[in-house]
Structures are given as C-alpha cells and as structure tokens.
Amino acid sequence: MLRTRLPRVTRTVALIGNPNTGKTTLFNALTGMSQRIGNYPGVTVERISGAVDLPDGTPVELVDLPGTYSLSAASPDEMIAVDVLLDEEDATRVDAVIAIVDASNLRRNLYLVSQLLEASRPLVIALNMTDVAATRSIRIDAIRLSSRLGVPVIPINAQRRHGIDDLRIALADVLKEPTKSPSMAALPGDLREQVQCLVQLTASTNGFRPLAAPYALRALVDDGGPAEEQLVAERGADMTRVLADLRSAVGASAPLSAIESESRYAWIQQILDGCVQHEEELRASRSDRVDRILTHRLAGLLAFVGISALLFQGIYSWSAPLMEIIEGSVASFGGAVAGALPDGAVRSMIVDGVIAGVGGVIIFLPQIAMLFLLISILEDCGYMARAALLMDRLLGNLGLSGRSFIPLLSSFACAVPGVMAARTIADRRDRFVTILVAPLMSCSARLPVYVLFIAAFIPDRTILGGWIGLQGLTLLAMYSVGAVIAVPVALLLRYTLLRGSSSPFLLELPAYNWPTPRTVLLRVYESCRAFIVRAGSVILSATIVMWALAYFPRSEDISQHFADERAVVTPLPSSERDTALRRLDRAEAAAHLEASLLGQAGHFVQPVFAPLGWDWRIGMATLASFPAREIIISALGTIYSLGGEQDETSGDMRRGLKNATHADGTPIFTVPVALSVMIFFALCAQCMSTLAVIQRETGSWGWAAFSFTYMTLLAYAAAFGVYRLGLWLGW
C-alpha cells in the first residue's frame, strides 16, 4: 500500500520584547542568513522574518515584531503587535510567541509578558542577559518562575549563543500542545467584567465578528488609542458611547490605564517574590561610570562630536578607495566590452546603459556597508542610545528626533545610506520627516559642481582683512544652505503632512557590551542586499531610460556630415590629424546629444529655466544629471564640445565654460548664473538613487514623488532669488 506524504505546514512564531533586550541578536541567532524583508499587510512598516530549524524538523517562520514596552499602542505602527498577537482572525495569525526579557530588569519586562499571557497563543520566555544580571548579583530561579507563570522560561545569552538549543526545544514542545485559554488574573475583577461585556456586545452585533478579549481590553483601557479608533471606524460612532459607558461602569476614580498598570505591577511583584534574589545595596555599574562621561553636558558632547567625526570620516574617506576600485573596474570592463563590439546602438546601450547602470548601483555599496558597520557597532555596544539622548533637546526644537542626527550626518557623505539609517527611528512621523529632509544635506556628489563653478567664476580673493577667502566662503555657504533650510522644512512637515504628536522620547540606556561580530555583519549584509535588490533595480532601469533619451534618435545626416569632415582631415600630418579628429569626435557627440530626445527636451524647457539665467544647454545638462548630480559635469563637457571625459578640475573645462557665449556674443556663464546653478544643485532632488531609497524606506512612490517635487520647487525658487539678487548687486 502506497502512502502519500503530506507537505508539512510551516508554523509562524512571533518574536517580541522590550527595546534593548537583545531581540535582534536572538533573531539573528535563530534565523542566521535566512531572513526575508517585506511589509505587514495594509501598512508600510517593515516586516522581517526568517526560517528556524527546530529539533523535530517542524518548519517555522520567525516574525520579528516591532520592539515595545507594552501592548498599549500609542500609534498605528505600534498596533502591528496588537493585531498580530491579539486578533484571532488576523491574516498574520501566529501559532506561538517568543518573549525575550532582560534578566537584569525583570520586573519591567514582565509587564509585557503579563499582557502576552492573556492572548490565546502558546508562549516561551527567553530569559536573556543572564550574564549582566549575574554581574549585578541578581539570581533568578528560572524553574520556579516558569512554574508560577505557567510557561517555559529558558535562560539564554543571545550574544554568546548560550541556551539557543534549549530555546528551540522548548518552542517545539509548545507548538505540539493545544492553545491555552487566555487568563486575565493580573487585572481587577471589575475591569475583567466590563471586558467580557464588550466581548459579548460585539458578538451579538450582526455582520461583525466578536472581539477577542485581549483586543477588547485594549479598546476599553486605551482611551482614544488606535484600538478604539479601529473599533469605531469598523462599527460606527455609537461604539464611542458604548466604550464610555463601560468605562464608567468600572467605577474607578483613576484612569483605567493607571489601574491596569498598578494591577499588573502588583501581580508581577507576587510572581517574582521568592524567584529573584539580589543584593539590597545599589552599586554603580561599569555602564554608570562610563555614562558619567559620555552623557555629561560638556564631556559627552565633545565625545559625541569626536565619534560623529569618525563616522563621517569612515563614510566619506575610508570607503573612497573601494569606490575608486569599483569605479575603475566598471570603467575598464566597459572599455573592454566597447572594444569588442562594433560601434552602434547595441554597444552604446550595453556600455553606457547597462554597465554604467550596474556601476551606478554598486558604487554605493562601500558607503552603505561602512555606514551600517559603524552604526551597528555603536548600536550593539550601547552608545547610540546615548547619542540620541544628547541630541534630542536640540533636534526636538527643530521638529526632529534625537535619533535623526546620525542619518542627517551620514547624508553629508551620501543621502542613500543616510536615508537608510533613518530606519533606526521608531516613531513613523519622526522617521519620515528625517527621510524627507536628509537629501537637503550637501552630499559628496554635489562637491564636483561646487568645485567647478567656484574655481571658474568666483574671484580668488580674500575679505575681512585677508582672513577669509571668497571661494572658501562660497563653498561653506553651499554646504550650509541645505542644513539651514532643512529646519523650516522639517517644522513645516510636522505642522502639515506629518502633523500630530510624536511618541514620547522614552529612552532606555542599555548596559555597554562588546559588539557581536555575527550580529554586526548580518546587519551590514542585510542592508547591502536590500539596497541592491530593491533600490538597485530602479536605479538600473532609470539609467537605461536616461541613456535611451540621450542616444535616440540617431541622425544619419549628422553621422554622414562628420564622416565627410574626417575624410578631409585624414591626409593631414599625424599630430594635426589626431587633434582634428578629437575635435570632430567631440563636436559629433555634442551634435548627436543636441538632436536626441534629451536635447530636444532641453530646448523645450528652456523657457522654464530662462528666469534663472540658463540657456537650453544648462537645462539639458540638468535633465541629463537626474541619475546623479555629478553627471552635469560630463554633460556640459559634451554639449560644449569639450569632451565627456572632462571633470571639475580640468582647466579646459573651466575655460570652455568661461568662453561660452549666446548667439549675440554675450557670455552664457556669469557669477549670478554660476551661483544659481550651484544653489539649484545644493537643494534639488537630482539623484535617482536617493529617490529609489526613499521609496524603499517609506514603502510608497508617493513620498518619493513628493520629495522630488518639493526639493525641485525649493531649488528653483532659491536659484531664481540668488540670480536676481546677483543681477541687482551688479555681480
């Protein structure tokens, strides 16, 4: 008799815990390199999951829920944990839960556990940081604690991977057991009674499914919270009156949230009595002694400036050699391919489209890897929380969060890793504001534009008695303008599109630890992979599109004209012939570019750019630089017949721009025009990679389009103002 082997059903397990309990380290220890990134259904909050191998062979998908101190959600994003854990009809229903708790702060961590015990989900408690507890003379009887809670309590050290196998065994065991009925023993009887009333009331409503008791508790206790908002939106405004009546029926003088907290902590104290022993005398820990320096108003700020400078140096300089190697390798490979293929559209598409597009993606990898390497080390050792604490007072007055500083600082090197670094900001509004203003910081890609136009058009003289150079002052102004304008932009966003109260800046200072190499490297790997897979595909596609616009249509008349010109100069002596041929190659490239769709677009938008003092060639070069700002240098070199290989340091390039004239003989570039070009590129969104990453981090092309639109309009207005001011001052 043949037996058919049925496929095993993958079980879903949620991992949840307070911030700074080692949740990410445990997740990496359990899943290794099998992680996947997506979004929760219906929201743009990132969902990270991975496969876990259990001893009995059961396939398990581990879902990493957002870190939280309780299930009393303060924002829609935080409702994810409530929906996943408490809503029995949710599409992302989990079969079991792992709650990671900090052994050195057990009383506070068990608050969340008390809420998880009320959900109809098998639960395993991972008692982490037992080594930290031991150094503080805290001894925990895990067996007695497990007996009192009624769930397995497994001591682990996620950083050193101790106890991970025991945790897998416990998880396999609870998945085999039937789901236990939820218990609300930590709550007073009057509150439990009204929760049951709400459950029965919703069960009797036709056309709606009944609320689970834990979900009803959140709607009842969290007055005006997301759970109540969802319930009212689903069942009508009458639910507001129903909830108010039920709250009054409890008969408590204090808010229900306060009653819940008092009841839970009283229950926790009973649970821990006899399970935890520690010395009564409080002793300053090693972390406390270090914090006396690193969180000091003056010494801490100096240390923060030094560490930030180190971070910036790493992103800007340490990654430069690898970027140069990648750039050179891509150029060499492109040259080899170009030499092996006949001249024509296919060769141009492969070399200038595909290979250049791939190069435009991987050129950012060293910066992204260096950024997340340094940030991961700082996070893993515990310093990032201190940095956020130091900067919150300053940035909080500017509509940002203390955690916004590192992303903004990183954006001075490159906005791509800077935007990605904003994912460390838990509050959605603060995170989105940071993402939207980060591209205003002057990244390294803008530097070639500044260098070229300052050297060519800003006089090399000093002011204020010779102490300050005018060129250096101009460069400082270009680097500062984005940071200055970011302040009113952030405040405006906080009062308009992203208005609403931010989550309170509640920050726990974790104990200092040595970074875990595995956790750090996994974080770097995941960040790099996410950039290549998601943003890279967009960048490559856009690069190919821009190549096509700059290449087609290919005029045969232009090609024939220059072929005839080459035939004329061929009999000349070799030195004269080579010079003439190079001149003809540049002129032909400029002619083809002007005749292309991109060149035609430059002529079409010329009236738009005319108020800035630009002619069609500057407008066309600006359109061509959409993939990356620095492309304007080679685009100008091509369109002015100077050669696409020109860079910002080329004397020929500077002289060529100085000598460029309109049809009437007046110069195209003047000081006001140069300033308008620089200020435009200081503020515009001329970076396809940044827009792709904004879409990836916000989960919406709408925010990327908004970023492009507001930055372009802002850049245009600033360029117009600077140009008109320059004319008025007679520069």
Side-chain angles (χ1 to χ4, degrees), residues 317-476:
S317 299
W318 297 348
S319 58
L322 285 175
M323 296 179 72
E324 291 174 0
I325 292 174
I326 292 174
E327 185 177 21
S329 300
V330 171
S332 299
F333 180 67
V337 172
L341 295 176
D343 189 20
V346 174
R347 185 180 78 174
S348 181
M349 182 191 70
I350 294 175
V351 175
D352 301 325
V354 176
I355 296 178
V358 171
V361 174
I362 63 177
I363 190 68
F364 290 106
L365 281 181
Q367 286 186 329
I368 292 172
M370 184 63 67
L371 169 71
F372 281 96
L373 174 65
L374 296 175
I375 285 182
S376 297
I377 291 174
L378 293 174
E379 281 186 338
D380 223 28
C381 74
Y383 180 75
M384 287 296 287
R386 278 82 180 172
L389 178 65
L390 286 168
M391 295 306 299
D392 183 66
R393 178 174 298 179
L394 171 63
L395 295 179
N397 296 326
L398 306 180
L400 297 169
S401 160
R403 296 188 181 275
S404 302
F405 184 78
I406 294 299
L408 296 180
L409 177 68
S410 304
S411 297
F412 276 100
C414 178
V416 171
V419 170
M420 293 179 68
R423 64 179 58 170
T424 60
I425 304 173
D427 183 82
R428 177 182 178 274
R429 292 186 181 91
D430 289 343
R431 184 171 67 252
F432 276 37
V433 170
T434 304
I435 288 173
L436 293 174
V437 301
L440 289 172
M441 307 303 112
S442 270
C443 65
S444 57
R446 292 171 164 111
L447 185 59
V449 181
Y450 301 156
V451 170
L452 173 62
F453 285 93
I454 288 175
F457 301 103
I458 304 301
D460 184 13
R461 65 169 182 259
T462 59
I463 58 176
L464 299 179
W467 286 95
I468 299 177
L470 192 58
Q471 291 184 335
L473 185 62
T474 304
L475 182 61
L476 175 62

Side-chain angles (χ1 to χ4, degrees), residues 568-584:
V568 173
V569 302
T570 299
L572 296 175
S574 58
S575 59
E576 296 181 20
R577 181 180 65 247
D578 293 343
T579 301
L581 289 176
R582 284 195 297 270
R583 178 181 55 80
L584 289 173

Side-chain angles (χ1 to χ4, degrees), residues 439-626:
L440 289 172
M441 307 303 112
S442 270
C443 65
S444 57
R446 292 171 164 111
L447 185 59
V449 181
Y450 301 156
V451 170
L452 173 62
F453 285 93
I454 288 175
F457 301 103
I458 304 301
D460 184 13
R461 65 169 182 259
T462 59
I463 58 176
L464 299 179
W467 286 95
I468 299 177
L470 192 58
Q471 291 184 335
L473 185 62
T474 304
L475 182 61
L476 175 62
M478 292 301 122
Y479 262 93
S480 302
V481 65
V484 171
I485 289 182
V487 174
V489 171
L491 290 173
L492 184 62
L493 288 171
R494 293 295 303 177
Y495 285 109
T496 55
L497 294 178
L498 295 169
R499 63 180 175 272
S501 58
S502 298
S503 299
F505 189 70
L506 300 176
L507 188 65
E508 177 186 355
L509 299 182
Y512 289 102
N513 292 294
W514 288 106
T516 306
R518 178 183 176 85
T519 300
V520 170
L521 294 177
L522 273 174
R523 196 172 301 169
V524 173
Y525 166 76
E526 285 297 329
S527 300
C528 293
R529 188 183 71 170
F531 171 72
I532 291 176
V533 172
R534 303 195 178 189
S537 59
V538 176
I539 296 170
L540 176 60
S541 301
T543 302
I544 294 176
V545 169
M546 291 303 298
W547 162 83
L549 292 176
Y551 189 86
F552 294 107
R554 207 67 174 173
S555 172
E556 292 297 331
D557 292 339
I558 293 176
S559 299
Q560 184 60 49
H561 170 74
F562 283 96
D564 295 340
E565 291 286 331
R566 290 187 182 89
V568 173
V569 302
T570 299
L572 296 175
S574 58
S575 59
E576 296 181 20
R577 181 180 65 247
D578 293 343
T579 301
L581 289 176
R582 284 195 297 270
R583 178 181 55 80
L584 289 173
D585 288 342
R586 295 171 181 174
E588 182 179 10
H592 278 301
L593 185 58
E594 181 177 358
S596 69
L597 294 174
L598 193 61
Q600 296 174 34
H603 283 285
F604 180 77
V605 301
Q606 197 275 333
V608 176
F609 290 114
L612 310 184
W614 301 6
D615 76 337
W616 73 269
R617 285 168 287 194
I618 304 176
M620 190 225 65
T622 301
L623 296 177
S625 65
F626 173 67

Side-chain angles (χ1 to χ4, degrees), residues 189-195 197-198 220 241-254 256 259:
D190 292 342
L191 181 56
R192 291 200 303 266
E193 184 178 323
Q194 299 309 316
V195 169
C197 287
L198 181 58
L220 188 62
R241 177 185 53 79
V242 171
L243 290 173
D245 293 341
L246 292 174
R247 288 166 185 149
S248 299
V250 176
S253 57
L256 295 188
I259 294 175

